[in-house]
Amino acid sequence: MSGYEPRAIEQKWQAVWAGERTWEVPNPGQPGFDERKPKAYVCEMLPYPSGEPHVGHLKCYAVGDAIAHFRRRQGFQVIHPMGYDAFGLPAENNAIKTGEPPRVATERSIESFRRQFQEWGISIDWSRELATHKPDYYRWTQWIFLQLFERGLAYRTEAAVQWCPKDATVLANEQVVDGRCERCGTEVIQKKLEQWFFKITDYADRLLEDFDALESWPEHVITMQRNWIGRSEGAEVVFRCDEVDLEFPVFTTRPDTLFGATFFVLAPEHPQLEKLVAGTEAEAAVREYVDRVGRESAEERGAEDREKTGVPLGRTVVNPVNGEEIPVFVADYVLMEYGTGAIMAVPGHDSRDYDFAQAFGLPVRRVIEGVDPEAPGDADGLPYAGDGPMVNSGRFDGQGNRDAYAAMIEWLGEEGRGKTAVNYRLRDWLLSRQRYWGAPIPIVYCDECGMVPVPDDQLPVELPEIEEYAPHGQSPLAAATDWVRTECPQCGGAARRETDTMDTFVDSSWYYIRYLDPRNAEAAWDRAAAAHWMPVDQYIGGVEHAILHLMYARFVTKALADLGHLEVQEPFANLFAQGMITRDGAKMSKSRGNTVSPAEYVERYGADTARTYVCFMGPPERGGEWTDEGVEGVNRFLSRLWRLCDEVAERTEAVSDPAVAEAAAEETGGEARALLAKAHWSIDKATKDFERGFQFNTVISAVMELVNDAYRLKDVLYGDPAGDAALRFATATAASLIFPFAPHLGSEVYERIAGERVWEQGWPVADEAMLVSDTVTVVVQVNGKVRARVEAPAEAAQEELLELAKANENVAKYLDGTQIVKEIVVPGKLVNLVVK
RNA sequence: GCCCGGGUGGCGAAACUGGUAAACGCGGCGCCCUUAAAAGGCGCUACCGCAUAGCGGUUCGCGGGUUCGAGUCCCGCCCCGGGCACCA
């Protein structure tokens, strides 16, 4: 007998899997490809390699690996690859601080991730490993960019960004604190810069519609994306300013309230603002207001209880439905990013317009009858957002506002002053970054030819080595003058390269396709390989990516499909969003000092314990609180299984045919049969819970129960052939079922007891006959209260159960002197006697 | 404010379509093994009460309802976590 020594076992099996390349799968047409097996693509979100892996990684890959193993043993050909999302800001910021090149720090971290994934025993097909910062990967990221560019899905335009005048750089929103630069404290200004965008808004409707095409995504993730896209239906209505001969279209979801518009508001960034006020009395005041707003951060501007401010322009526009001239204002509660950057203000039926009207003494007009008892408003019950009959609306008076809505749009259409319109909250994807550590945007600027895409045969545009990583108003790449200076691919004349790099979300929006053909030097992937493996059957990752990454990946997949490179519209058929692990009741962070290093626990308890623990803490889609006692509990359980194996291997004889064992057990009955029955119960329970949304915590508890029963019964079973067989079956079954979580121990125990490699065995199937027992416990209730539990034959008839129930002493006590008014019998479960 | 999750023992949690609430684990208590300790094995452990081999009462955030029967279904609230938020 020897104790459970995870280190030795884990190294042994890891060597087997690495040496035999157990988890590698070939593509169709390659040797070893099994055409009979259905495919299953199991993929966890690739890690961002920074420092060492943390428990979030451990959980993600433990969960994904359990699924991969389960599917393999269910007969699927499973592809389960791994890669690294290697470009990005943290490595670059580290470079600015320490001078260490981002590549060096990143590759050191990748080393660490790779080593730990191997130490965890994750069943990865390492032949497909990739990293997004390698030229042979980002060459194809650039290719995808150019594909989108050629179809007009990538474009360059001016956009407002946050700019620090002292550091002379663009800042991310998170780097702006209270309107000041996080680093130097200088007030940040908004600046317009040429930026690259992907036209994701073209796909807004398809991104919404295709939720229906997904097999299983968490409802809340879909809802989050839906809200993010923010589709709303309404009308576009044109207001005209005759004085300066300009037209102002507005988007409204409430065309029924058009007659209630008493003023008009433009966003401070509205491009026509200048023309409206140039040379007027209002010019100075408007300019001052716009400047002030421009200096404010998004946070300040969006503050919940912010007071309404604005400046009148001294101009009017005409309301197309009634010819009324209404005054025009500029106000920061109107956003340039949404709709047309201009609104018709209906203070009678919109609370924001109402607040503005109050602040500026503007008229409030009711056009729909009704008062909301929940939000009563002023003395007249305004603003009122509900439904009702129209008033003060000319020809529409008396109509219900819902009917008027349609009628109004129709009428506007006839007059040529409006039409139905749809608006989205979703903005185009701003993908350019004035940063070094990313994939260069493969565009060249030529004085003669303008913007020229780098031809495919000149890809990749390699990231040059530089000395100075800090940005000075443009990408650090601009300093690499030799690199920037280039030849125009069209005319051969002098040209310069684009110095911006791509957002890392571009890199990670297609990696799951590259896995399918990672060494292809001729193309991003082979179409047949992609056609075979796509879509990802099970995608696993944290909820924090519910919106950005998952939506970008969906967009890129659709765009590539439209371009004829892919056959699927959706990349991820099933999504599993894991919950976050906390410690001391809080999210783990270095500043809080409550982080957990997986390596430390793997060192102390072994990878099997660490993996099994994160799966046992609770349902994996929920968060969980990490406790050291919990880890020890799981370690105790695995040790217990180990010792059971040790003892059973020593004290029982191997029975090669399980049918023989079962027959023997059947004959003897008693404990041997009870243990076999428990084993089959565990198989049944584990399989069902696996399939019912990956309820790993209860899968593991079922195996614990089986091991507990084996311990309780083993001493009476030893020596008896049926008993030995039952013990062997129970131990092997426990090993087989725990294998997806504790693959090393599972393999070791299974090999010692059954003499086979567990991962080569099919997932066990419960014997239905072993799941039913001869007798069942039936609960007897009197008036709904439990008064007794009686043993009854499993297939006892209603009459028989009633008799048994009434015969019970304790039950009889409660029946005494009463009259039974109703008898409810649920066969095999319960009897309820209703008495008076 | 709107949209999602979630509230069950001392703690993490179970409970499939309404049918034994608390499986499994942690923690705690007791016993066995041991010269002793650790490790391990076995048992008890929702709470309260009593005439304590047993029996009774009370418990799934709060208040109602449907039902023979509700953690589970319906209505109304409260609290916690997450997302979005001046989106016209």
Side-chain angles (χ1 to χ4, degrees):
Chain A
M1 287 257 285
S2 60
Y4 172 42
E5 281 166 32
R7 177 178 291 268
I9 301 171
E10 292 178 3
Q11 284 177 354
K12 168 182 162 187
W13 291 104
Q14 282 161 21
V16 170
W17 299 328
E20 300 184 7
R21 303 175 164 210
T22 313
W23 314 121
E24 292 183 16
V25 291
N27 277 351
Q30 292 176 339
F33 180 80
D34 189 341
E35 274 168 28
R36 290 157 308 175
K37 283 186 176 177
K39 67 99 183 180
Y41 187 176
V42 178
C43 184
E44 302 94 25
M45 291 180 189
L46 86 178
Y48 176 75
S50 168
E52 306 254 313
H54 53 74
V55 263
H57 293 115
L58 176 66
K59 180 167 176 178
C60 181
Y61 301 110
V63 165
D65 205 36
I67 296 169
H69 277 311
F70 182 60
R71 291 282 178 245
R72 273 187 202 105
R73 293 184 54 201
Q74 280 185 320
F76 290 90
Q77 190 154 192
V78 171
I79 181 168
H80 187 217
M82 181 61 72
Y84 310 95
D85 187 15
F87 277 136
L89 261 181
E92 188 168 351
N93 286 341
N94 172 65
I96 294 167
K97 218 162 40 181
T98 67
E100 181 178 43
R103 174 174 289 104
V104 175
T106 300
E107 288 182 351
R108 176 165 8 96
S109 181
I110 287 176
E111 263 310 304
S112 168
F113 272 74
R114 183 189 297 122
R115 198 189 59 244
Q116 292 200 41
F117 290 154
Q118 282 162 354
E119 284 171 3
W120 298 350
I122 309 289
S123 61
I124 293 161
D125 178 348
W126 288 107
S127 72
R128 296 173 185 270
E129 189 187 29
L130 58 81
T132 59
H133 73 298
K134 296 273 179 71
D136 66 354
Y137 181 87
Y138 69 71
R139 172 196 169 141
W140 301 110
T141 307
Q142 291 172 338
W143 174 78
I144 288 172
F145 173 91
L146 291 172
Q147 287 287 307
L148 298 192
F149 177 75
E150 271 153 37
R151 303 300 153 121
L153 288 171
Y155 66 95
R156 196 168 134 92
T157 194
E158 214 174 47
V161 292
Q162 314 266 25
W163 179 267
C164 172
K166 181 141 178 279
D167 284 352
T169 181
V170 166
L171 298 175
N173 275 336
E174 307 81 60
Q175 294 171 312
V176 183
V177 181
D178 295 331
R180 287 168 185 280
C181 172
E182 179 190 47
R183 239 176 301 168
C184 67
T186 312
E187 267 196 14
V188 167
I189 58 168
Q190 288 208 349
K191 196 167 173 174
K192 289 195 164 178
L193 280 181
E194 289 268 307
Q195 300 286 320
W196 282 97
F197 291 87
F198 281 149
K199 234 174 176 181
I200 191 171
T201 50
D202 273 11
Y203 285 75
D205 274 326
R206 281 167 63 190
L207 287 167
L208 284 171
E209 284 158 16
D210 287 355
F211 285 131
D212 297 340
L214 303 171
E215 279 172 45
S216 149
W217 272 42
E219 201 48 54
H220 69 280
V221 172
I222 292 178
T223 309
M224 278 160 81
Q225 290 204 3
R226 209 167 248 139
N227 293 342
W228 188 264
I229 295 167
R231 182 183 203 273
S232 42
E233 290 181 9
E236 191 172 283
V237 185
V238 178
F239 285 67
R240 203 181 143 69
C241 178
D242 293 326
E243 292 160 294
V244 290
D245 193 25
L246 282 174
E247 294 202 329
F248 293 93
V250 300
F251 173 73
T252 177
T253 54
R254 295 296 305 274
D256 50 326
T257 64
L258 259 163
F259 281 85
T262 55
F263 57 101
F264 194 88
V265 189
L266 297 177
E269 300 83 2
H270 199 285
Q272 311 288 10
L273 194 55
E274 190 68 27
K275 286 186 196 151
L276 275 175
V277 294
T280 71
E281 282 172 30
E283 188 172 5
V286 167
R287 199 154 277 159
E288 197 212 324
Y289 180 76
V290 169
D291 284 350
R292 197 179 72 209
V293 171
R295 281 194 302 273
E296 286 181 328
S297 67
E299 285 83 352
E300 279 174 295
R301 189 166 163 182
E304 200 173 335
D305 45 5
R306 185 175 168 92
E307 289 198 359
K308 292 283 179 289
T309 61
V311 176
L313 301 188
R315 299 277 191 196
T316 58
V317 291
V318 177
N319 184 340
V321 295
N322 56 11
E324 250 176 38
E325 297 213 353
I326 54 175
V328 182
F329 291 78
V330 56
D332 66 359
Y333 82 96
V334 174
L335 310 172
M336 195 59 223
E337 311 89 78
Y338 188 77
T340 60
I343 62 155
M344 62 165 198
V346 184
H349 302 280
D350 180 283
S351 63
R352 297 153 303 179
D353 296 344
Y354 182 84
D355 291 345
F356 191 85
Q358 290 293 297
F360 286 78
L362 295 161
V364 178
R365 185 188 302 155
R366 176 186 283 282
V367 290
I368 294 169
E369 297 272 28
V371 172
D372 184 353
E374 299 279 313
D378 66 10
D380 298 324
L382 295 177
Y384 171 63
D387 293 326
M390 306 283 294
V391 290
N392 298 325
S393 298
R395 62 167 73 199
F396 300 98
D397 281 357
Q399 263 188 45
N401 70 304
R402 302 264 174 156
D403 298 331
Y405 179 108
M408 195 84 76
I409 292 175
E410 194 182 327
W411 181 76
L412 282 166
E414 285 163 12
E415 301 285 310
R417 292 166 181 177
K419 56 178 193 241
T420 53
V422 175
N423 228 293
Y424 303 91
R425 211 195 72 104
L426 182 70
R427 306 263 61 87
D428 274 341
W429 175 4
L430 195 167
L431 68 106
S432 47
R433 296 287 181 272
Q434 293 73 49
R435 289 294 189 155
Y436 169 71
W437 192 231
I441 293 173
I443 292 285
V444 163
Y445 300 97
C446 166
D447 289 339
E448 296 299 314
C449 315
M451 205 153 61
V452 182
V454 175
D456 283 354
D457 61 11
Q458 291 176 30
L459 295 181
V461 175
E462 279 207 46
L463 198 56
E465 298 294 333
I466 59 166
E467 310 262 298
E468 171 67 49
Y469 301 102
H472 292 292
Q474 43 191 341
S475 166
L477 280 176
T481 45
D482 289 350
W483 178 84
V484 172
R485 215 178 298 126
T486 186
E487 218 171 67
C488 173
Q490 241 162 58
C491 69
R496 58 200 163 75
R497 291 192 185 282
E498 167 67 65
T499 58
D500 283 357
T501 54
M502 286 187 244
D503 181 4
T504 54
F505 278 115
V506 182
D507 308 327
S508 60
S509 65
W510 73 282
Y511 71 99
Y512 46 87
I513 318 172
R514 183 66 179 173
Y515 279 148
L516 308 177
D517 196 11
R519 308 287 166 253
N520 195 331
E522 309 302 316
W525 56 81
D526 173 62
R527 277 206 57 167
H532 174 73
W533 293 113
M534 285 297 285
V536 174
D537 295 285
Q538 187 63 59
Y539 199 43
I540 301 119
V543 237
E544 63 273 18
H545 295 109
I547 298 174
L548 294 180
H549 164 62
L550 288 170
M551 194 139 70
Y552 292 151
R554 294 181 62 214
F555 159 68
V556 168
T557 298
K558 287 180 190 305
L560 290 169
D562 289 352
L563 290 163
H565 301 303
L566 276 181
E567 288 173 26
V568 291
Q569 283 291 328
E570 284 290 333
F572 315 122
N574 298 283
L575 173 69
F576 188 86
Q578 82 195 63
M580 204 175 50
I581 297 179
T582 57
R583 191 184 210 181
D584 308 324
K587 187 175 169 175
M588 291 185 197
S589 70
K590 279 184 194 138
S591 58
R592 210 180 258 111
N594 63 342
T595 53
V596 170
S597 152
E600 209 179 286
Y601 286 86
V602 169
E603 166 78 26
R604 190 156 9 138
Y605 299 104
D608 284 340
T609 293
R611 295 178 54 162
T612 308
Y613 175 62
V614 294
C615 291
F616 181 64
M617 294 170 79
E621 70 275 17
R622 267 195 255 164
E625 170 77 10
W626 180 283
T627 63
D628 286 1
E629 292 80 8
V631 181
E632 274 175 40
V634 167
N635 186 249
R636 209 171 292 156
F637 156 65
L638 294 180
S639 307
R640 226 161 121 78
L641 173 56
W642 170 257
R643 287 192 306 272
L644 177 69
C645 162
D646 229 17
E647 224 185 88
V648 167
E650 203 165 292
R651 296 185 56 179
T652 65
E653 290 300 320
V655 183
S656 51
D657 185 358
V660 172
E662 275 181 42
E666 196 83 52
E667 251 174 69
T668 349
E671 273 84 15
R673 190 189 149 96
L675 184 57
L676 278 181
K678 186 69 180 186
H680 285 281
W681 170 87
S682 300
I683 293 169
D684 186 57
K685 166 92 176 147
T687 309
K688 281 182 179 151
D689 288 352
F690 236 115
E691 273 162 352
R692 201 158 46 88
F694 310 122
Q695 290 195 21
F696 298 150
N697 52 332
T698 55
V699 172
I700 294 164
S701 76
V703 186
M704 287 173 167
E705 284 194 52
L706 174 59
V707 171
N708 288 346
D709 273 19
Y711 263 79
R712 276 191 282 268
L713 295 171
K714 65 184 165 58
D715 289 327
V716 302
L717 294 176
Y718 284 133
D720 169 56
D724 284 0
L727 273 170
R728 284 201 165 246
F729 183 74
T731 308
T733 298
S736 176
L737 297 178
I738 207 66
F739 169 77
F741 312 100
H744 313 88
L745 180 67
S747 299
E748 181 73 17
V749 170
Y750 199 86
E751 188 190 54
R752 287 186 63 190
I753 300 297
E756 308 268 5
R757 292 175 153 189
V758 66
W759 65 85
E760 289 170 3
Q761 312 304 309
W763 188 253
V765 178
D767 178 353
E768 292 291 328
M770 295 299 283
L771 296 177
V772 293
S773 66
D774 303 344
T775 63
V776 287
T777 306
V778 173
V779 169
V780 185
Q781 297 180 332
V782 179
N783 284 348
K785 285 193 185 296
V786 180
R787 295 302 177 190
R789 294 180 173 99
V790 297
E791 285 296 308
E795 65 288 349
Q798 301 216 352
E799 289 307 309
E800 196 180 338
L801 287 173
L802 275 172
E803 255 173 65
L804 266 167
K806 290 174 193 166
N808 182 278
E809 224 178 296
N810 203 44
V811 173
K813 218 164 70 190
Y814 286 89
L815 295 181
D816 193 33
T818 64
Q819 201 191 340
I820 297 177
V821 284
K822 197 164 187 181
E823 294 170 336
I824 289 127
V825 181
V826 183
K829 279 213 168 117
L830 133 161
V831 173
N832 189 11
L833 303 169
V834 185
V835 302
K836 252 197 321 209

